[in-house]
Amino acid sequence: MGVVDVDSGRLRSEIAAFYAGFGAPGELTAAFESSALLVPLTGPEDRVFTLESGGIAWLCAFTGVAEYARFMTTRGVVADQEYRFHTFLGRRLREFAAAQTDPTGVAVDMLGARPMTFPPDVPDDSAGRVRE
C-alpha cells in the first residue's frame, strides 16, 4: 500500500490554536467540515468504526495515517490483520452522524496528542416545560 495523503492541515492548525488558547470555534468547525479525514472501517460490511461513551456514539476519524496508526497500536494491532479505512470530508461525517437515530458525534485523533470532538446537536428538551 502506498502513502496516503489527506488534506487536513488546516484542521490540525485550528486544533493547535484551540489547545494554545486562541482558537476560534467557527474557524475550527469550518476547518473540520472541509478536511479530508481517515475513518476506520470494521466488519465484513465495512461499516464506519464507532465507540460509545456517555450514551453518545462517536465516529472515529483521523487527520493522517500516523494518528490512525497510534490509535490502532494502542488498541492492540494484530500484525497479519488488514486495517481498512475510507477517506471522508468532515462535512459528510457530520451529515452522517446527524442522520443517525441515536446521538452521534465525531472524535478526531482519539488517543493522539491533540484529540478534538465535535459533539452531536442535541435538542434542548427543557424549553417550554413547566416545573412542578
Side-chain angles (χ1 to χ4, degrees):
M1 175 190 238
V3 175
V4 176
D5 187 24
V6 293
D7 183 13
S8 57
R10 179 178 171 211
L11 177 58
R12 285 193 300 273
S13 293
E14 289 299 329
I15 291 172
F18 175 84
Y19 274 90
F22 58 89
E27 290 298 316
L28 178 63
T29 299
F32 165 72
E33 290 183 348
S34 66
S35 290
L37 299 162
L38 302 180
V39 178
L41 302 174
T42 186
E45 309 86 23
D46 282 340
R47 295 180 185 261
V48 295
F49 181 78
T50 60
L51 294 173
E52 186 179 324
S53 179
I56 295 175
W58 294 96
L59 294 170
C60 300
F62 300 91
T63 58
V65 173
E67 292 79 9
Y68 178 40
R70 179 180 297 125
F71 175 78
M72 293 308 293
T73 299
T74 302
R75 293 186 50 84
V77 173
V78 177
D80 61 346
Q81 185 172 338
E82 180 180 60
Y83 293 92
R84 296 179 40 81
F85 61 87
H86 194 64
T87 305
F88 292 95
L89 285 177
R91 173 180 45 82
R92 299 292 292 165
L93 289 174
R94 177 165 272 175
E95 290 169 358
F96 177 81
Q100 303 308 299
T101 55
D102 294 323
T104 303
V106 180
V108 176
D109 291 346
M110 290 180 68
L111 305 179
R114 292 184 175 131
M116 182 61 60
T117 58
F118 295 88
D121 292 328
V122 179
D124 182 5
D125 289 340
S126 65
R129 285 191 181 172
V130 177
R131 291 188 175 203
E132 295 181 30

